[in-house]
Amino acid sequence: MPYIGSEDTVRDLRRVLSNPNVQSDQLRYRNTILKVIRAMSQGVDVSGLFSEMVKACATVDIVQKKLVYVFLCSYATLNPELSLLVINTLRKDCQDPNPMVRSLALRNMTNLRLPSLVEYVEQPLTAGLRDRAACVRRVAVLGWAKLHNLQTNSEIDAAVVNELYSLLRDPDPVVMVNCLRALEEILREEGGVAINKPITHHLLNRLKECDIWGQCEVLRILQRYRPQSEDELFNILSLLDVSLISPHPPVMAATLSLFLSLCSGLPAVGLAALERVRGPLLAACGNTSREMQFTALCHIQLLLRSLPGLMGEHYKRFFCGYAEPAYIKQRKIEVLVELVNDDNVAILLDELRGYCTDVNISTAHAAISAIGRIGRSYSDKCLEILTELLGLKQEHITSAVVQTMRDLVWVCPQCSRTVCSAVEGCEAEIQDSQGRHALLWLLGVYGEQVSSVPYTLEVFIDGVRSEASVGVKMELLTATVRLFLCRPAETQDMLGRLLHYCIEEETNMCVSDQALLYYRLLHCGIEETRKVLQCRRSDPSLGVLIGRPAEPINQWSYIFNTLEPLRPGAIETDDALTASVSAPLSLSLSPALSPEEFEDLWLQQQCPTIFRCSPQSLQAAMQLVNIQTLAFTPPHTLPWRVYLYTNTQNKHSADTCHGTLILGELLVKKNTAEKGIKVTLKQQPRDEKALKGFLSVLTTVLHALSSE
Amino acid sequence: MISQVFILSSQGDHLIYKDFRGEAGSDVVNLFYEKVTALTGDQPPVVMRHKDVHFVHVRQGGLYWVATTTADTSPFTIIEFLNRLTALVKDYCGSLSERSVQMNFALIYELLDEVVDYGYIQTTSSDILKNFIQTEAVSSKPFSLFDLSNVGLFGAETQQSKVAPSSAATRPIQSSRDQGGKSEIFVDVIERMLVVIGSNGVLMKADIEGEIKVKCYMPTCSEMRIGLNEEFSIGKSQLRGYGAAVRVDECSFHQAVRLDEFDSLRILRLCPSQGEQTVMQYQLSDDLPSAPPFRLFPTIERDNGGRLLMYMKLRCDLPPKSAGINVSATIPVPKGSVSLSQELSSPDQSAELQPQSRAVVWKIPRFPGGTQLSALFKLEVPGFSSASMLEVGPVSLSFELPKITATGLQIRFLRLSPFQPGPAQRWVRFGMRTFDSDHEVGPGPSEDPVQDCFHWWIHCLLYLSQQDDVCWTESVCCLTS
């Protein structure tokens, strides 16, 4: 880097800056300051020039002023004392007749981030709120937020808060939006700016005046509003309909987010909104910016979780372009898998086949495993393609195909015959350990169907000394023992050699222990071994791709329009239902509740679910997930009841915890026909999302208990 | 909410760094660069995380434009903002490159200061910003003899001065201030097209995305009216008669466009703000109004020596007056191909084997309509098997077509009203740009698996012609003929 001589640079710059000849020449002075800023943004430490720069601040040249302020704001925290010198100039500028100078001074005064200067800043800020020029008011409003964050523990000035609330009616829309932003920050502890009916209606009416950034901010803040009646709700929704199909993706996304939070109790309306944004979202997928395309794709994946048929007929929009970057291709492949139906499967598979030979190896793998996933419903066509790919005899493709086939066979046992004939003879191509691992598993489990297996395994066993991967060695052991069970005559000799090597020479504990285990198991007799090793070959219940039930929208609506869906693998969690439900919701025991309060709060609300469980371990299990059992009847008396409570905290809603109190009664009536627990829940304040979340946490606990 | 914004060159040099909230240190810049360069292929690089700091970045002009933010921020907003920022920088500095950012860093700091305050986006409208931005842009355009070619002998107007150099629209908007009177408006009609064609020549998929962009250099612009083809129709239902209607499926407009005259006269009215804006965007799928501009006839076989012979015939179906430029065909070849020998039909073409992308790239700088070119490639592929044939194809073509739009959309006139005091110059350029024109062919007969797929890319063209209302219509005629 060119900064080795940075001390020299600073010394030279200082000399020039303090040269009176330069100071009197406007242009030279400004150019020198430019040099300082350039050095600063290149990473040179020029903080030593602070006092010279403070002097340069007193000038009528606005460009020079702006440059000096860039410098001062970067280094003020290092020089709190010298910064005091700037304040006078800044305060003087706040009186300047030019509004641009006033707003500039005010903004930079608050950007210095020095708690010691707060007392000097408050007065100009107060004046700034009442300034004639909107640009000064914009800066002043945000200035109060900056000031508050500089000294978070100080009292909130009620007068300022009132002033900010009244500025919500300012004619300038940016001032209004800035007021919202400032109040959100200042009142963070109280849950942010109060969103009541008049404010909501005021904001909605002025939405059109704001630019897209302001609209997004307003829409985001309105998510906290709960309409008081259904009429009001629908009025708001129809008002927002225009923004829902906005050509600006940020506005569209923010509106959909608001729709989903307003309609959390009306799933049908939510689904209709998803249909409505289909057009704008597809348009965003065709945006000229790759990053925007990617964002839209990730969010389409979310929508498809609730409405799998949403994009069915638009599958061609998700075909990959040749020159697209790998991260877009891979997301598109994931989306394509979701869109498969009887009509388009042939075209889709044809397209995916083309991606399997992509130059980017991970894209090729994604395409191959996508074909495998489609194979769960359309196995014949997919197996044909996968078999054809094996013919390419390329290491990475063969390895990915074998892994895909292994996964496919586990779900669709009917494919095993084709798979077995296909994998025969491809062991020479596979070099990586995951591929060999998959191959060995297939050979072990389906050993009786592939005639050449003993020869293949023999090659592996002969090379076991040079095998580096522990997983492959362990899989080899298992496969050989399994093969021995069905083809003992051909395998006995090599199994003996393998066990001998693993027990006597192998240094890895896991491998030698497993070998010992099998050795002892074989001692116990062939029937015992068979019982242990011939386990299930498949698990069709793992779920077929098509016909996966649509998830309710609120399973994902809280991460919509956040960075979460853009993370790699963010979508993969959807199989683990419990994980995705309990993650956003955390329970806590505070505020604590006395039994009397509990009784007072009790109301009837029916929400029955039925489970079996054993009462004894209930309390301990409940405490694990932060649910407090408050009272219960002694065991073995019927009816048996439990009363419990908990508080929910919505972590995702950024603002301070808006807890919901949930009270519950579990009732077991063994004498009734249905065996199970009746759960009655009450909550305050009402929060459908939290209630659903709580129920699934409860169900998980009860499931866990009943399976014990 | 944006915590910091920084701009890095592709080598990781810090060009711009601005901290809005003082929440994270400047060391995150290096951290970002380490992360982005350590990426393996399958990680989405748009969003990255380090503890509580989330990096969102876009790549434009070979630079990384990065914002750091918190997890619950809207990615749509941040990405749109970064794109808008790049557009602003482009407007103000003239072009987007490491050099122009370096030379104009003071201007960019000033822009950032006005655009974002305390991490909140204030305004990105160039109409408002122009009142605040004081720094003059430093133009990085090197002196070029080409600029002189537009000056006629003794300053006389030459025919060439009817055509502006393509760099004319890449100057900073602010400089219009001192160059006094050089008020110009550029209108671009750019279409991007994606075509997939089966091995039997059947059109499998066609998508066109087009946009009309206005770049305005006038400090104060009154209303302007853009007249489109009168037979322009949106959606299938509006199609009238059998005429040569210009049809698009969907169409959206910039919010500043007034459409009162659109339904009857197909006129867009707007008051453009300084800088560049997309006035209209439209899409057309699955129904190309004209044949694709190129056809490829590939033949692939093995010779006795085990070499792969690829004989490519490429025909340009454009009218003879037009030409495709910068045509480039990419032919994927089997892994392990080691050497290429070639026979090309004319000396200006070139072809090379690119081992890392496993493809032969055949480049044709200029390809007039109605002509045909051919090339024979002989590839040495050790260990060639019949399965290797599967790896050949799909072929992709990328090209630029000046003066042509695939949908046939034209601009009838461009009027400024009320009449400008000074001579306002109006420029229009048309182009078809193929961002992803896939020309793809389904599996052919098994003997000839190579005839598999073609992709096409059309890169569109930037052609400028100076218009006044009369000669404007003439030039449209000449474009359409």
Side-chain angles (χ1 to χ4, degrees):
Chain A
M1 301 296 263
Y3 317 136
I4 297 161
S6 75
E7 281 160 34
D8 294 339
T9 321
V10 171
R11 201 177 321 123
D12 287 350
L13 285 170
R14 174 176 301 132
R15 211 191 51 234
V16 182
L17 277 176
S18 41
N19 180 343
N21 291 332
V22 174
Q23 289 180 358
S24 56
D25 182 345
Q26 187 93 70
L27 213 57
R28 276 177 77 192
Y29 204 19
R30 191 204 281 185
N31 281 340
T32 317
I33 290 166
L34 263 176
K35 277 186 200 145
V36 176
I37 310 285
R38 188 192 299 267
M40 184 185 92
S41 54
Q42 285 171 344
V44 181
D45 180 15
V46 284
S47 57
L49 299 172
F50 201 87
S51 52
E52 283 79 13
M53 292 296 269
V54 168
K55 279 181 212 134
C57 175
T59 166
V60 285
D61 179 10
I62 294 195
V63 176
Q64 179 173 338
K65 238 185 221 311
K66 285 188 173 183
L67 287 172
V68 176
Y69 289 155
V70 170
F71 176 92
L72 294 182
C73 290
S74 310
Y75 291 113
T77 38
L78 301 175
N79 297 287
E81 292 85 24
L82 283 173
S83 306
L84 270 174
L85 302 174
V86 199
I87 277 291
N88 265 334
T89 322
L90 285 169
R91 284 183 62 132
K92 206 169 79 215
D93 280 354
C94 284
Q95 315 287 336
D96 196 281
N98 182 348
M100 202 196 303
V101 176
R102 290 204 298 274
S103 68
L104 187 66
L106 206 52
R107 178 166 57 226
N108 287 290
M109 202 186 270
T110 47
N111 276 350
L112 291 174
R113 296 196 200 108
L114 287 174
S116 56
L117 299 183
V118 168
E119 46 180 321
Y120 306 101
V121 178
E122 277 183 351
Q123 189 269 326
L125 268 187
T126 317
L129 285 182
R130 295 182 198 121
D131 199 283
R132 293 184 316 281
C135 63
V136 183
R137 292 198 301 273
R138 293 175 186 176
V139 173
V141 167
L142 280 183
W144 283 107
K146 298 180 201 170
L147 218 56
H148 174 77
N149 285 352
L150 267 184
Q151 32 171 0
T152 34
N153 36 12
S154 70
E155 286 280 303
I156 298 170
D157 186 348
V160 171
V161 171
N162 282 339
E163 184 103 31
L164 289 177
Y165 269 116
S166 65
L167 276 176
L168 282 176
R169 314 224 163 247
D170 193 279
D172 183 70
V174 181
V175 174
M176 175 186 86
V177 177
N178 278 355
C179 278
L180 282 178
R181 292 160 165 163
L183 285 168
E184 278 286 285
E185 300 229 3
I186 295 172
L187 302 175
R188 185 172 292 149
E189 246 112 85
E190 301 167 20
V193 52
I195 294 296
N196 54 27
K197 191 168 169 177
I199 290 187
T200 306
H201 288 213
H202 171 71
L203 292 177
L204 284 170
N205 286 332
R206 297 196 55 187
L207 200 56
K208 277 201 199 80
E209 297 167 33
C210 304
D211 62 357
I212 61 168
W213 317 112
Q215 290 185 14
C216 294
E217 200 78 37
V218 170
L219 292 167
R220 188 180 65 81
I221 286 171
L222 285 183
Q223 283 188 33
R224 282 213 303 274
Y225 183 61
R226 292 280 156 261
Q228 284 146 2
S229 70
E230 216 155 76
D231 278 350
E232 191 192 354
L233 170 68
F234 283 107
N235 282 338
I236 295 179
L237 294 187
S238 47
L239 198 67
L240 289 175
D241 188 64
V242 194
S243 335
L244 195 58
I245 50 171
S246 157
H248 301 287
V251 178
M252 178 270 298
T255 317
L256 183 59
S257 233
L258 175 59
F259 254 72
L260 297 182
S261 87
L262 287 175
C263 303
S264 53
L266 301 161
V269 183
L271 290 177
L274 299 191
E275 297 266 5
R276 197 104 172 90
V277 296
R278 173 173 41 200
L281 261 182
L282 278 174
C285 282
N287 198 293
T288 38
S289 150
R290 300 226 185 275
E291 291 79 11
M292 188 58 90
Q293 286 179 19
F294 176 71
T295 313
L297 276 174
C298 296
H299 283 86
I300 282 177
Q301 279 185 292
L302 278 185
L303 263 60
L304 288 176
R305 285 164 63 174
S306 288
L307 213 56
L310 187 65
M311 301 288 174
E313 47 194 278
H314 301 280
Y315 62 93
K316 284 187 177 172
R317 302 292 286 268
F318 300 97
F319 283 179
C320 302
Y322 178 77
E324 281 175 347
Y327 61 92
I328 289 196
K329 282 189 183 174
Q330 286 162 27
R331 288 283 171 160
K332 282 192 169 173
I333 291 171
E334 283 173 30
V335 172
L336 282 175
V337 171
E338 304 285 332
L339 302 183
V340 169
N341 60 35
D342 289 349
D343 301 327
N344 60 22
V345 64
I347 303 174
L348 273 182
L349 283 175
D350 216 41
E351 184 75 15
L352 284 172
R353 203 208 68 88
Y355 307 153
C356 293
T357 47
D358 198 280
V359 183
N360 184 314
I361 290 182
S362 56
T363 306
H365 286 193
I368 292 169
S369 73
I371 292 178
R373 281 180 62 196
I374 296 174
R376 296 175 190 181
S377 354
Y378 301 94
S379 48
D380 293 347
K381 289 174 197 153
C382 294
L383 279 173
E384 202 178 294
I385 295 177
L386 291 175
T387 315
E388 189 185 298
L389 287 172
L390 285 178
L392 287 177
K393 301 224 175 287
Q394 289 201 19
E395 286 164 25
H396 74 95
I397 293 184
T398 308
S399 161
V401 169
V402 169
Q403 292 172 54
T404 304
M405 284 180 161
R406 170 197 58 190
D407 299 342
L408 184 59
V409 162
W410 182 253
V411 185
C412 306
Q414 72 274 14
C415 306
S416 61
R417 190 161 297 279
T418 331
V419 168
C420 288
S421 58
V423 297
E424 216 168 338
C426 66
E427 66 278 356
E429 303 294 330
I430 306 181
Q431 299 299 320
D432 64 320
S433 58
Q434 280 143 327
R436 277 180 299 168
H437 199 284
L439 179 68
L440 284 171
W441 186 88
L442 279 170
L443 295 179
V445 172
Y446 292 100
E448 78 279 5
Q449 293 184 22
V450 188
S451 56
S452 66
V453 174
Y455 305 103
T456 314
L457 286 189
E458 189 149 26
V459 175
F460 272 100
I461 290 169
D462 290 343
V464 73
R465 273 164 221 279
S466 51
E467 176 59 59
S469 156
V470 173
V472 172
K473 284 187 207 169
M474 292 170 70
E475 196 60 54
L476 179 61
L477 268 171
T478 313
T480 316
V481 178
R482 278 187 180 146
L483 188 66
F484 173 71
L485 294 177
C486 56
R487 300 164 77 164
E490 296 158 278
T491 323
Q492 189 173 10
D493 178 56
M494 61 174 107
L495 176 62
R497 272 189 288 140
L498 181 63
L499 286 176
H500 181 268
Y501 166 78
C502 289
I503 295 170
E504 296 292 327
E505 296 179 43
E506 173 61 46
T507 49
N508 186 291
M509 269 310 189
C510 295
V511 179
S512 62
D513 275 2
Q514 195 174 20
L516 268 178
L517 171 77
Y518 287 147
Y519 180 72
R520 289 175 187 143
L521 196 59
L522 288 165
H523 263 294
C524 298
I526 202 79
E527 278 315 309
E528 287 297 315
T529 316
R530 192 157 298 195
K531 234 188 268 171
V532 173
L533 279 174
Q534 289 205 325
C535 53
R536 279 207 294 188
R537 290 168 165 191
S538 66
D539 186 4
S541 68
L542 261 184
V544 175
L545 176 82
I546 303 290
R548 188 171 58 172
E551 291 175 41
I553 293 173
N554 48 26
Q555 293 254 327
W556 51 263
S557 59
Y558 63 92
I559 54 165
F560 185 83
N561 204 13
T562 67
L563 300 184
E564 190 67 33
L566 275 70
R567 297 248 187 85
I571 294 303
E572 300 312 318
T573 54
D574 57 0
D575 286 335
L577 180 77
T578 52
S580 68
V581 170
S582 52
L585 182 82
S586 72
L587 306 180
S588 87
L589 289 180
S590 62
L593 198 66
S594 76
E596 295 76 31
E597 285 172 310
F598 180 88
E599 264 182 296
D600 292 344
L601 290 165
W602 185 256
L603 261 175
Q604 286 298 314
Q605 193 188 359
Q606 299 282 28
C607 188
T609 26
I610 289 164
F611 296 102
R612 302 163 57 93
C613 95
S614 71
Q616 284 82 3
S617 44
L618 187 69
Q619 188 174 15
M622 291 290 186
Q623 269 166 351
L624 275 181
V625 292
N626 279 340
I627 299 176
Q628 179 65 48
T629 48
L630 209 71
F632 47 91
T633 48
H636 307 300
T637 51
L638 285 174
W640 180 83
R641 286 172 203 274
V642 182
Y643 290 96
L644 43 85
Y645 81 88
T646 189
N647 286 292
T648 65
Q649 289 168 334
N650 283 344
K651 277 194 179 157
H652 51 88
S653 59
D655 37 88
T656 49
C657 50
H658 268 301
T660 308
L661 178 64
I662 298 180
L663 313 176
E665 180 203 44
L666 309 183
L667 177 64
V668 181
K669 289 191 272 189
K670 284 262 165 61
N671 48 355
T672 56
E674 56 206 321
K675 282 187 180 176
I677 300 182
K678 184 172 175 188
V679 182
T680 314
L681 294 177
K682 197 263 148 191
Q683 67 169 169
Q684 187 191 40
R686 190 179 156 79
D687 183 354
E688 209 78 31
K689 215 190 284 178
L691 191 65
K692 289 216 176 92
F694 171 77
L695 257 183
S696 50
V697 173
L698 189 66
T699 353
T700 319
V701 177
L702 295 177
H703 261 310
L705 281 169
S706 54
S707 61
E708 268 172 18
Chain B
M1 195 160 59
I2 297 161
S3 182
Q4 293 149 316
V5 168
F6 47 92
I7 305 174
L8 294 185
S9 74
S10 50
Q11 285 83 38
D13 299 332
H14 304 192
L15 302 179
I16 299 286
Y17 168 80
K18 179 116 182 130
D19 186 355
F20 292 108
R21 294 183 62 92
E23 288 163 340
S26 59
D27 46 332
V28 296
V29 182
N30 289 329
L31 221 138
F32 167 82
Y33 189 69
E34 276 163 32
K35 270 181 174 289
V36 94
T37 44
L39 280 175
T40 60
D42 57 339
Q43 262 175 299
V46 179
V47 173
M48 281 177 297
R49 188 173 72 143
H50 173 73
K51 293 181 189 149
D52 286 344
V53 184
H54 289 71
F55 301 100
V56 181
H57 82 272
V58 303
R59 283 210 70 167
Q60 294 251 348
L63 306 170
Y64 294 103
W65 304 71
V66 195
T68 63
T69 178
T70 50
D72 58 347
T73 319
S74 159
F76 289 102
T77 310
I78 302 282
I79 289 171
E80 180 87 356
F81 164 73
L82 290 173
N83 285 330
R84 180 73 196 130
L85 181 66
T86 59
L88 278 175
V89 171
K90 193 174 167 204
D91 281 348
Y92 277 92
C93 304
S95 63
L96 214 52
S97 66
E98 184 174 340
R99 194 175 148 77
S100 68
V101 169
Q102 251 170 0
M103 294 178 66
N104 291 295
F105 70 96
L107 178 81
I108 295 172
Y109 274 122
E110 198 182 350
L111 259 179
L112 275 173
D113 212 30
E114 299 294 344
V115 168
V116 183
D117 190 10
Y118 203 42
Y120 296 109
I121 306 165
Q122 299 292 302
T123 179
T124 54
S125 143
S126 42
D127 279 339
I128 301 177
L129 286 172
K130 70 177 174 198
N131 303 324
F132 292 94
I133 302 301
Q134 302 282 323
T135 315
E136 290 290 342
V138 186
S139 179
S140 59
K141 194 165 49 174
F143 172 78
S144 157
L145 276 179
F146 286 111
D147 295 342
L148 294 178
S149 63
N150 283 336
V151 182
L153 204 51
F154 309 116
E157 249 199 19
T158 61
Q159 185 55 37
Q160 274 167 323
S161 70
K162 292 274 182 198
V163 178
S166 64
S167 61
T170 61
R171 62 186 169 89
I173 50 174
Q174 292 267 330
S175 61
S176 52
R177 223 180 257 166
D178 30 78
Q179 290 183 8
K182 186 140 193 199
S183 45
E184 289 177 302
I185 280 201
F186 292 85
V187 177
D188 293 350
V189 182
I190 292 173
E191 295 188 347
R192 291 169 300 166
M193 133 194 255
L194 169 78
V195 183
V196 181
I197 296 178
S199 53
N200 47 5
V202 175
L203 198 66
M204 293 167 68
K205 179 181 150 192
D207 272 327
I208 297 175
E209 285 175 19
E211 57 191 13
I212 300 182
K213 280 188 171 177
V214 170
K215 188 159 188 178
C216 174
Y217 284 107
M218 287 190 265
T220 52
C221 186
S222 50
E223 188 186 71
M224 112 187 220
R225 294 161 83 229
I226 304 175
L228 308 180
N229 312 41
E230 275 172 336
E231 58 274 33
F232 182 80
S233 66
I234 301 166
K236 290 197 168 67
S237 57
Q238 281 195 25
L239 204 55
R240 291 172 290 218
Y242 300 96
V246 177
R247 190 183 71 80
V248 299
D249 288 339
E250 280 167 50
C251 190
S252 61
F253 301 93
H254 190 273
Q255 58 199 14
V257 176
R258 271 167 301 145
L259 298 171
D260 4 332
E261 288 180 86
F262 184 72
D263 281 341
S264 51
L265 298 165
R266 299 299 181 207
I267 292 173
L268 306 174
R269 295 170 59 197
L270 76 156
C271 299
S273 41
Q274 244 184 337
E276 189 172 293
Q277 54 231 289
T278 303
V279 171
M280 173 173 141
Q281 287 176 297
Y282 53 94
Q283 285 118 39
L284 174 63
S285 350
D286 284 341
D287 193 10
L288 270 192
S290 55
F294 292 95
R295 276 204 77 161
L296 180 65
F297 305 92
T299 321
I300 294 187
E301 57 194 39
R302 295 174 65 184
D303 74 354
N304 310 334
R307 282 186 305 179
L308 188 64
L309 301 184
M310 302 193 291
Y311 184 66
M312 301 278 165
K313 219 158 59 171
L314 188 60
R315 194 178 76 202
C316 178
D317 289 339
L318 294 171
K321 276 186 188 167
S322 315
I325 54 173
N326 296 339
V327 180
S328 154
T330 308
I331 309 147
V333 295
K335 196 179 177 186
S337 305
V338 284
S339 71
L340 171 76
S341 65
Q342 44 184 298
E343 290 169 27
L344 304 171
S345 58
S346 71
D348 55 337
Q349 303 169 42
S350 66
E352 63 173 330
L353 176 67
Q354 296 184 338
Q356 76 281 13
S357 58
R358 243 179 45 206
V360 172
V361 180
W362 175 24
K363 288 190 171 145
I364 305 149
R366 189 183 148 81
F367 196 171
T371 59
Q372 183 165 301
L373 296 177
S374 59
L376 176 64
F377 301 113
K378 293 181 192 163
L379 274 172
E380 204 78 57
V381 189
F384 188 84
S385 68
S386 60
S388 306
M389 283 296 234
L390 288 173
E391 292 181 70
V392 183
V395 176
S396 57
L397 274 182
S398 76
F399 44 84
E400 298 175 19
L401 302 182
K403 294 198 280 186
I404 287 179
T405 56
T407 54
L409 182 80
Q410 298 288 357
I411 292 188
R412 275 188 295 144
F413 58 79
L414 185 62
R415 282 192 196 117
L416 300 169
S417 57
F419 194 69
Q420 292 278 315
Q425 296 184 333
R426 286 154 285 170
W427 304 90
V428 180
R429 50 187 179 177
F430 287 93
M432 218 153 83
R433 166 177 295 173
T434 48
F435 67 133
D436 275 337
S437 189
D438 289 355
H439 196 83
E440 202 169 303
V441 185
S446 53
E447 292 81 20
D448 194 9
V450 190
Q451 270 202 350
D452 238 32
C453 301
F454 313 166
H455 289 255
W456 299 64
W457 265 227
I458 308 179
H459 201 78
C460 192
L461 191 27
L462 307 181
Y463 199 85
L464 304 179
S465 52
Q466 183 185 359
Q467 306 296 338
D468 37 53
D469 272 334
V470 186
C471 98
W472 172 237
T473 356
E474 279 169 13
S475 73
V476 172
C477 295
C478 109
L479 292 186
T480 43
S481 61

